[in-house]
Amino acid sequence: MKIGELSRRTGVPTRLLRYYEEQHLLHPDRTDNGYRDYPESAVQDVQQIRGLLDSGLTTQMIRAILPYLSGPDEILLPAEHLTPDTAALLQGHIDRIQARIECLARNRDRLREYLAAVRPEGEEGAVRS
Amino acid sequence: MKIGELSRRTGVPTRLLRYYEEQHLLHPDRTDNGYRDYPESAVQDVQQIRGLLDSGLTTQMIRAILPYLSGPDEILLPAEHLTPDTAALLQGHIDRIQARIECLARNRDRLREYLAAVRPEGEEGAVRS
DNA sequence: TCGAACCCTCACATCAGTGTGAAGGCAAGG
DNA sequence: CCTTGCCTTCACACTGATGTGAGGGTTCGA
């Protein structure tokens, strides 16, 4: 798949697809004429990347964890390649993500409480025009 | 409290405290000589802001929701000030935060699964030096 | 063969969040 | 009084993520 199609199918501008490649988040191979050639799975990959970026992770952190997110089908790294170091790194990333989740959840709850408290006026979410 | 003390107590550089003010996230008043004068509550406020920024929210979004986060003690806006518009805006913010949480949680789980799958080698999280 | 619609790289621009330093006012202690 | 350490504003600079455009090659259909 060429970059234009991937862009259309994911809604992500080609500029960003090239950027993600520059950041080593995507690795399309090239056809003879130099065009990028993406596998079908790239669609999922791009959505994954977008979600994580939107959640406030940097490309660097995404690059670090992406290899371990590829799919539940099979484990990529045999255990002998998972040094204690790598495991610790990974655990650190997990912890950071967890901290973010907690912060966001806390604030979401407070916003919900506020909203609930301030409009007990019989509105149950239905938006009436 | 002057800016230096707030900085020391929060670990946030004075530069950023001034920046947050410029972004209308903080509103210290001024003493006669022009020094910023923060209330005690600013310590909490700054930590709140930092947490949200670290979670990937922009100052703009934080500015939008901060007024509603001030404290569970009392509702700031009387119901008559909460137009349906504002409520919808707020709900939109909540939804975005929720989406982030879900994305992060999903990926956290996948990382955890990976880590668990790849090291069933009797290590139960204890880091041995 | 020509034009439209792709693709390429390069590079400058923008925005948010920061770092850093200059140039100067105020306050307290030796 | 003078130094030291706060405080002030102003301003330039960097990074990461993204927009945008220039300049140029490729593919394909009319």
Side-chain angles (χ1 to χ4, degrees):
Chain A
M1 174 185 348
K2 286 185 286 185
I3 200 173
E5 185 184 345
L6 182 58
S7 171
R8 255 170 275 121
R9 287 175 57 183
T10 58
V12 175
T14 60
R15 170 65 173 92
L16 289 190
L17 297 176
R18 298 200 181 96
Y19 175 66
Y20 299 154
E21 179 180 1
E22 193 182 311
Q23 297 300 308
H24 303 104
L25 302 180
L26 295 174
H27 338 77
D29 40 69
R30 303 293 183 121
T31 61
D32 320 21
N33 51 22
Y35 287 12
R36 288 168 180 80
D37 186 26
Y38 296 91
E40 202 60 25
S41 60
V43 176
Q44 300 292 342
D45 293 345
V46 169
Q47 283 159 354
Q48 181 88 28
I49 292 168
R50 286 291 342 159
L52 292 171
L53 278 176
D54 285 347
S55 303
L57 302 204
T58 66
T59 54
Q60 165 180 333
M61 190 161 166
I62 297 175
R63 180 166 53 245
I65 64 176
L66 205 51
Y68 310 113
L69 293 174
S70 298
D73 41 357
E74 53 156 333
I75 298 300
L76 301 168
L77 249 52
E80 36 274 20
H81 286 129
L82 188 87
T83 66
D85 269 25
T86 313
L89 252 303
L90 201 47
Q91 186 61 55
H93 288 310
I94 294 173
D95 292 346
R96 264 191 296 282
I97 290 175
Q98 182 60 30
R100 279 182 144 110
I101 291 174
E102 278 160 15
C103 177
L104 288 172
R106 203 162 42 241
N107 288 289
R108 175 205 54 193
D109 291 344
R110 299 185 67 180
L111 290 175
R112 278 189 180 152
E113 278 162 28
Y114 174 84
L115 204 52
V118 86
R119 62 159 177 201
E121 328 276 319
E123 1 205 355
E124 64 293 301
V127 180
R128 52 179 162 300
S129 61
Chain B
M1 172 187 351
K2 286 185 286 183
I3 199 173
E5 186 184 345
L6 182 58
S7 171
R8 255 170 274 122
R9 287 175 57 184
T10 59
V12 175
T14 61
R15 170 66 174 92
L16 290 190
L17 297 177
R18 298 200 180 95
Y19 176 67
Y20 298 154
E21 179 179 0
E22 194 182 312
Q23 298 300 308
H24 303 106
L25 303 180
L26 295 174
H27 339 77
D29 40 71
R30 302 295 181 117
T31 60
D32 319 20
N33 51 24
Y35 287 14
R36 287 168 179 81
D37 187 24
Y38 296 90
E40 203 60 24
S41 61
V43 176
Q44 300 291 343
D45 293 346
V46 169
Q47 282 158 354
Q48 181 91 18
I49 293 168
R50 288 288 344 159
L52 292 170
L53 279 176
D54 285 347
S55 301
L57 303 205
T58 67
T59 53
Q60 165 181 334
M61 187 161 168
I62 297 175
R63 180 167 52 243
I65 64 177
L66 203 52
Y68 312 113
L69 293 175
S70 300
D73 40 359
E74 54 157 332
I75 299 300
L76 300 169
L77 249 52
E80 36 275 16
H81 285 128
L82 188 87
T83 66
D85 270 26
T86 314
L89 250 304
L90 202 47
Q91 185 61 55
H93 287 311
I94 294 174
D95 292 347
R96 263 193 296 282
I97 291 176
Q98 181 60 28
R100 283 183 154 149
I101 290 174
E102 277 160 15
C103 176
L104 289 173
R106 201 163 42 243
N107 287 290
R108 175 206 54 195
D109 291 343
R110 299 184 68 179
L111 290 175
R112 279 190 180 150
E113 278 161 28
Y114 174 85
L115 204 50
V118 85
R119 63 159 176 199
E121 328 276 319
E123 0 206 353
E124 63 293 303
V127 180
R128 50 177 162 298
S129 61

